[in-house]
């Protein structure tokens, strides 16, 4: 559009469902934190408002290695083709609070580089009438996508003053990587969106966990009822935002799309299922029954869908309602084969070092796990995925 680039800050908000329930502020995106005014690359600080484990040393003969001083890492994903470079969504969680931001994590060196953001709109990236939220963001689920021309696109759910998906281009051409804000898409304000996945045609799908009103305390019974609470939206540059038929499910959460853009998998958070959906035929093609409450969904090297979670909705709800004093329930990792929908338990030694784990990302011989309630991402050495 030819406009002069300008710097954008980021505003704090709840990073995920756990944070939303604790803070009772989902959908509003209107916390009182100050916008971050600097574009200097640095490690985001985190201040604890509750007791937390300050030990940041490797354990179990190096099989467990934490990367600490991260502010509520709600979601993260490897850069396409990389095993050690991750984009991390840092939010305003129930324990570690502050301005929401995106960062690059080098898992080899543990270096964390905050990504400065510049406004640099580009035609075709989002809706024509969608403008930046005046320098304020509140980030949630993210997706990193490599386009056909090699461009790396970062899509992030935003709750600041509106429900939207923000579209960035990752620029690593200089010694200080940065994000260029290219555009955005507003979603219906009555819906609380959760996670996003890019499509090969430049569009995306985004899950709707529930109505915005049900994400407030008076709606918690509805959220945890196991009933259908939200659909999945699809946006395309030509068709705008629309609801995908047949996707109304219990708490749609993490989402992934196959490389060819044909198949979508998304987690039914309060339904204990992984749903499979044909994006061309626009119909459900199967569901896998899980033994965990599935939150974010990561993709393994062979397309496996990987999740970590607790065993019951009561445990999920108890964590925020107790103010995190009862948040040490055991978690498990499960993988789903995208074709057969076979579910496999993935043994990981030492998972109990994390409170309220909600995301697990496989990378080489390691599994990286964290949640919005933590100040760290923890690397676990494990035996790999056995779902095939």
């Amino acid at each position: 559009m030819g406009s002069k680039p300008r710097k954008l800050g980021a505003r704090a908000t709840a990073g995920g469902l756990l944070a939303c329930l604790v803070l009772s502020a989902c959908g509003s995106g209107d916390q009182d934190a100050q916008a971050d005014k600097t574009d200097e690359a640095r490690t985001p600080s985190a201040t604890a408002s509750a007791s937390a484990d300050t030990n940041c040393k490797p354990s179990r003969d190096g099989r467990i290695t934490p990367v600490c001083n991260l502010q509520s890492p709600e979601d993260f994903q490897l850069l396409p083709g990389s095993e050690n470079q991750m984009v991390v969504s840092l939010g305003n969680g129930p324990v570690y609070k502050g301005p929401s931001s995106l960062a690059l994590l080098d898992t080899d060196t543990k270096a964390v580089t905050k990504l400065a953001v510049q406004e640099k709109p580009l035609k075709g990236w989002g809706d024509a009438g969608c403008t930046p939220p005046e320098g304020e963001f509140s980030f949630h689920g993210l997706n990193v996508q490599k386009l056909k021309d090699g461009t790396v696109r970062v899509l992030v759910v935003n709750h600041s003053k509106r429900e939207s998906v923000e579209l960035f281009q990752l620029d690593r051409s200089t010694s200080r990587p940065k994000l260029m804000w290219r555009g955005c898409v507003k979603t219906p304000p009555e819906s609380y969106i959760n996670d996003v996945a890019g499509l090969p045609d430049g569009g995306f799908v985004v899950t709707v966990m529930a109505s915005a009103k049900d994400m407030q305390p008076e709606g918690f019974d509805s959220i945890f009822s196991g009933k259908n609470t939200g659909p999945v939206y699809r946006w395309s540059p030509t068709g705008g935002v629309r609801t995908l038929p047949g996707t109304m499910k219990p708490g749609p959460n993490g989402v992934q799309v196959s490389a060819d853009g044909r198949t979508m998998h998304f987690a039914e958070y309060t339904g204990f299922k992984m749903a499979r959906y044909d994006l061309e035929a626009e119909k459900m093609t199967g569901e896998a029954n899980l033994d965990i409450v599935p939150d974010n969904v990561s993709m393994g090297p062979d397309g496996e869908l990987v999740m970590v979670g607790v065993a019951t909705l009561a445990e999920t709800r108890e964590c925020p309602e107790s103010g995190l004093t009862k948040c040490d329930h055991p978690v498990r990792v499960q993988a789903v084969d995208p074709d057969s929908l076979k579910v496999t338990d993935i043994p990981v030694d030492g998972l109990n070092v994390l409170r309220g784990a909600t995301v697990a990302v496989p990378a080489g011989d390691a599994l990286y796990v964290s949640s919005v309630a933590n100040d760290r991402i923890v690397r676990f050495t494990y035996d790999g995925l056995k779902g095939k």
Side-chain angles (χ1 to χ4, degrees):
M1 293 184 181
S3 62
K4 183 179 178 180
R6 67 181 178 91
K7 302 171 187 175
L8 297 178
R11 187 170 181 146
T13 190
L17 179 62
L18 174 62
C20 290
L21 298 179
V22 173
L23 297 178
S24 302
C26 299
S28 68
D30 202 17
Q31 274 67 37
D32 296 325
Q34 294 295 317
D36 185 359
K37 300 300 184 181
T38 179
D39 70 336
E40 294 182 2
R42 61 177 174 83
T43 301
S45 62
T47 56
S49 61
S51 61
D53 179 14
T54 58
N55 182 6
C56 195
K57 297 179 180 179
S59 60
R60 305 199 184 190
D61 296 323
R63 292 180 62 85
I64 301 177
T65 307
V67 180
C68 300
N69 297 317
L70 300 176
Q71 178 187 292
S72 305
E74 199 280 332
D75 199 6
F76 52 96
Q77 182 184 324
L78 284 167
L79 287 178
S82 174
E83 287 192 355
N84 71 322
Q85 296 289 318
M86 293 180 174
V87 179
V88 185
S89 174
L90 301 169
N92 183 47
V95 180
Y96 299 92
K97 304 176 184 294
S100 181
S101 61
L102 297 177
L104 271 181
L105 165 63
D106 186 313
T107 60
D108 289 340
T109 65
K110 298 185 180 180
V112 179
T113 303
K114 182 182 175 183
L115 293 169
V117 179
Q118 288 187 333
E119 179 190 340
K120 207 169 182 180
L122 188 63
K123 185 178 180 180
W125 285 55
D127 286 335
C130 195
T131 58
E134 300 179 356
E136 298 177 350
F137 294 112
S138 86
F139 294 132
H140 197 156
L142 65 76
N143 181 243
V144 185
Q145 178 189 23
K146 190 173 184 178
L147 304 180
K148 292 180 180 179
D149 63 0
T151 297
V152 176
R153 185 171 74 150
V154 181
L155 306 92
V156 194
V157 166
N158 170 52
H159 300 298
S160 178
K161 297 184 179 180
R162 67 189 188 195
E163 292 292 287
S164 62
V165 174
E166 307 294 328
L167 306 175
F168 302 92
Q169 180 180 343
L170 177 61
D171 181 3
R172 302 179 69 197
S173 61
T174 66
S175 59
R176 294 178 59 186
K178 63 179 180 292
L179 290 168
M180 292 181 288
W181 183 91
R182 293 302 202 183
C184 59
V185 174
K186 294 181 183 179
T187 56
E190 66 273 13
S191 300
Y192 181 82
I193 56 177
N194 190 299
D195 197 17
V196 61
L199 297 171
D201 65 358
F204 60 78
V205 290
V206 58
T207 56
V208 180
M209 181 156 234
S211 66
K213 64 180 177 61
D214 281 345
M215 297 304 292
Q216 304 302 322
E218 58 271 19
F220 289 176
D221 286 342
S222 174
I223 290 292
F224 286 103
S225 68
K227 298 178 181 179
N228 293 342
T229 57
V232 179
Y233 293 150
R234 180 172 185 167
W235 176 83
S236 67
T238 56
V241 175
R242 62 187 180 87
T243 300
L244 287 172
T247 59
M248 192 73 177
K249 295 292 179 180
N253 200 306
V255 62
Q256 291 287 347
V257 173
S258 59
D260 61 6
R262 173 69 183 262
T263 306
M264 171 179 70
H265 291 85
F266 65 94
E268 299 178 29
Y269 186 76
T270 56
F272 294 85
K273 295 180 186 293
M274 170 64 69
R276 186 178 63 197
Y277 190 86
D278 187 321
L279 287 167
E280 290 189 6
E282 294 197 346
K283 65 178 183 180
M284 293 286 297
T285 59
E287 290 177 310
N289 293 314
L290 304 171
D291 296 318
I292 60 174
V293 181
D295 199 307
N296 293 325
V297 179
S298 301
M299 191 173 288
D302 294 320
E304 308 95 332
L305 292 312
V306 183
M307 297 145 291
V308 61
V310 298
T312 71
L313 290 179
E315 290 173 335
T316 302
R317 186 169 184 171
E318 185 180 47
C319 184
E321 288 189 340
S322 69
L324 301 182
T325 61
K326 296 180 180 179
C327 200
D328 295 323
H329 303 295
V331 295
R332 296 164 60 186
V333 177
Q334 292 195 308
V336 177
D337 183 288
D339 301 319
S340 68
L341 295 181
K342 176 185 176 183
V343 180
T344 305
D345 275 303
I346 307 300
V348 182
D349 183 36
L351 275 177
N352 60 338
V353 302
L354 279 173
R355 173 173 52 195
T358 55
V359 56
V361 177
D365 64 349
L367 190 73
Y368 292 84
V369 184
S370 187
S371 89
V372 74
N374 285 286
D375 70 338
R376 63 196 62 192
I377 294 173
V378 180
R379 180 188 189 276
F380 297 88
T381 301
Y382 77 134
D383 293 331
L385 302 174
K386 306 295 184 183
K388 287 288 186 179

